């Protein structure tokens, strides 16, 4: 069952960039995040009401702040970034999460770095440099500011994971998942009121309804539950295999369904990043 859950999750999370691309012509990025969080939160609400514990809310401010770092803020950055990036190059940059995790673990958790981890960071950033170098090619859609936004989003994901392990260790995963979507919807909704108050009109297109349902209900709501199921049933190391599978799904969808070009350099950059991710996880296997 965990193996099946892993592959299903790779399809859900790997398709996030694809469905975001689908709705970007009709929705502002903050509107996409709002509906994604709202639909995902409604999906998780029954699980939250069933599994929540009183002690989950002993430290409300850290809970709100950390979950906002994991959902609302980075998802807005990610949605904005897709205006200037192909999903193929997005897959490479998005795979750098564990690399940022190693860096933040050193500076925040004060966990000493071993030679393999230092090597992993150097290899990972080499892959990022290759990806940025590819941006000069006319064969792919690449904007420097969009790439920086996506890297910032990924680094915030990693930062939130570090803070979660430090401050929210005793909070149930159902509460963390639901509150992250709740805070994300409030955060993005406040901006949407001023930026795109009539965004609901785009729901007249059935394509937008289907894409946002996938982003909210499946990618965000069910995806979060599957991930934490993997962590609990098969362990965090097994769950982190998603890092290797997601780029494959993302790139295949971009090439097959969005007709994006897959240049050799993109594959080369991805190999660099995945090698880096492999070495960054080595220490935790011991």
């Amino acid at each position: 069952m965990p193996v099946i859950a892993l592959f299903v999750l790779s399809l859900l999370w790997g398709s996030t960039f694809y469905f975001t691309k689908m709705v970007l012509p009709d929705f502002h990025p903050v509107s996409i995040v709002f509906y994604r969080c709202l639909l995902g939160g409604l999906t998780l609400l029954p699980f939250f009401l069933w599994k929540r514990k009183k002690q989950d809310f002993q430290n409300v401010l850290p809970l709100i702040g950390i979950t906002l770092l994991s959902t609302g803020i980075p998802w807005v950055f990610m949605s904005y970034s897709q205006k200037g990036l192909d999903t193929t190059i997005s897959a490479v940059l998005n795979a750098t999460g564990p690399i940022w995790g190693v860096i933040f673990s050193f500076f925040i958790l004060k966990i000493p770095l071993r030679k393999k981890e230092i090597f992993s960071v150097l290899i990972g950033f080499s892959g990022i440099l290759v990806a940025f170098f590819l941006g000069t090619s006319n064969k792919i859609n690449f904007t420097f500011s969009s790439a920086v936004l996506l890297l910032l989003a990924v680094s915030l994901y990693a930062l939130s994971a570090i803070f979660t392990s430090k401050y929210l260790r005793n909070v149930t995963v159902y509460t963390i998942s639901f509150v992250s979507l709740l805070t994300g919807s409030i955060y993005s909704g406040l901006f949407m009121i001023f930026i795109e108050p009539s965004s609901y009109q785009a729901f007249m297109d059935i394509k937008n309804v289907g894409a946002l349902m996938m982003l909210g209900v499946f990618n965000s709501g069910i995806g979060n539950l599957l991930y934490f199921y993997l962590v609990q049933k098969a362990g965090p190391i097994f769950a982190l295999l998603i890092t290797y599978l997601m780029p494959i799904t993302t790139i295949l969808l971009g090439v097959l369904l969005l007709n994006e070009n897959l240049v050799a350099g993109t594959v080369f950059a991805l190999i660099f990043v995945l090698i880096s991710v492999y070495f960054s996880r080595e220490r935790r296997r011991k």
Side-chain angles (χ1 to χ4, degrees):
M1 187 63 179
V3 174
I4 296 175
L6 182 70
F7 278 96
V8 172
L9 183 60
S10 71
L11 290 173
L12 293 178
W13 281 5
S15 64
T16 298
F17 293 112
Y18 169 71
F19 289 114
T20 300
K21 283 275 190 181
M22 283 183 62
V23 296
L24 263 177
D26 297 322
F27 287 92
H28 190 275
V30 296
S31 299
I32 296 173
V33 175
F34 171 73
Y35 291 116
R36 181 181 175 184
C37 288
L38 178 64
L39 292 170
L42 291 174
T43 303
L44 292 184
L45 181 59
F47 298 95
F48 165 70
L49 295 175
W50 179 34
K51 291 288 188 178
R52 75 188 189 283
K53 297 179 180 179
K54 289 184 179 180
Q55 58 265 34
D56 288 349
F57 299 95
Q58 289 179 345
N59 298 306
V60 176
L61 290 180
L63 178 62
I64 294 174
I66 294 171
T67 54
L68 190 58
L69 278 180
S70 69
T71 302
I73 298 174
W75 283 7
V76 170
F77 289 164
M78 186 275 286
S79 296
Y80 266 108
S81 73
Q82 292 312 286
K83 288 186 171 184
L85 294 175
D86 275 352
T87 56
T88 52
I89 204 70
S90 297
V92 175
L93 300 179
N94 191 61
T96 61
I99 304 169
W100 295 106
V102 169
I103 297 172
F104 290 137
S105 294
F106 174 73
F107 285 105
I108 297 174
L109 300 181
K110 307 300 181 183
I111 297 177
L113 292 180
R114 295 184 179 184
K115 290 182 179 179
K116 281 186 177 181
E117 292 171 319
I118 296 173
F119 178 70
S120 77
V121 171
L122 294 176
I123 291 293
F125 277 100
S126 297
I128 293 174
L129 289 176
V130 171
F132 271 74
F133 177 76
L134 290 173
T136 60
S137 170
N138 292 325
K139 295 181 180 180
I140 60 173
N141 180 32
F142 183 96
T143 304
F144 182 86
S145 59
S146 295
V148 171
L149 270 181
L150 183 54
L151 283 175
L152 182 58
V154 176
S155 68
L156 289 177
Y157 292 145
L159 186 61
S160 69
I162 296 299
F163 284 145
T164 297
S165 66
K166 187 173 183 178
Y167 298 108
L168 303 179
R169 190 172 301 174
N170 297 320
V171 180
T172 64
V173 295
Y174 297 96
T175 296
I176 294 174
S177 299
F178 175 75
V179 173
S180 68
L181 294 171
L182 176 64
T183 56
S185 62
I186 295 173
Y187 169 81
S188 56
L190 291 174
F191 286 101
M192 187 186 71
I193 291 173
F194 297 99
I195 296 174
E196 195 178 39
S198 60
S199 61
Y200 62 90
Q201 294 178 357
F203 280 101
M204 297 300 292
D205 189 337
I206 191 66
K207 172 183 69 71
N208 291 332
V209 175
L212 284 172
M213 287 293 289
M214 284 298 303
L215 280 171
V217 175
F218 295 97
N219 295 37
S220 305
I222 295 176
N224 277 358
L225 289 183
L226 282 176
Y227 176 73
F228 289 117
Y229 163 81
L230 288 171
V231 172
Q232 291 180 344
K233 295 295 183 180
I237 300 303
F238 183 83
L240 284 168
L241 290 174
I242 193 68
T243 308
Y244 298 94
L245 295 175
M246 274 181 59
I248 299 172
T249 303
T250 303
I251 289 174
L252 284 176
L253 288 174
V255 173
L256 297 177
L257 299 182
L258 295 176
N259 297 318
E260 294 177 349
N261 292 311
L262 179 59
V263 297
T266 301
V267 178
F268 186 67
L270 179 62
I271 290 173
F272 262 66
V273 170
L274 292 184
I275 290 174
S276 171
V277 170
Y278 172 79
F279 281 110
S280 73
R281 309 315 310 175
E282 274 292 288
R283 182 184 175 200
R284 296 190 181 185
R285 289 196 180 98
K286 299 180 180 179

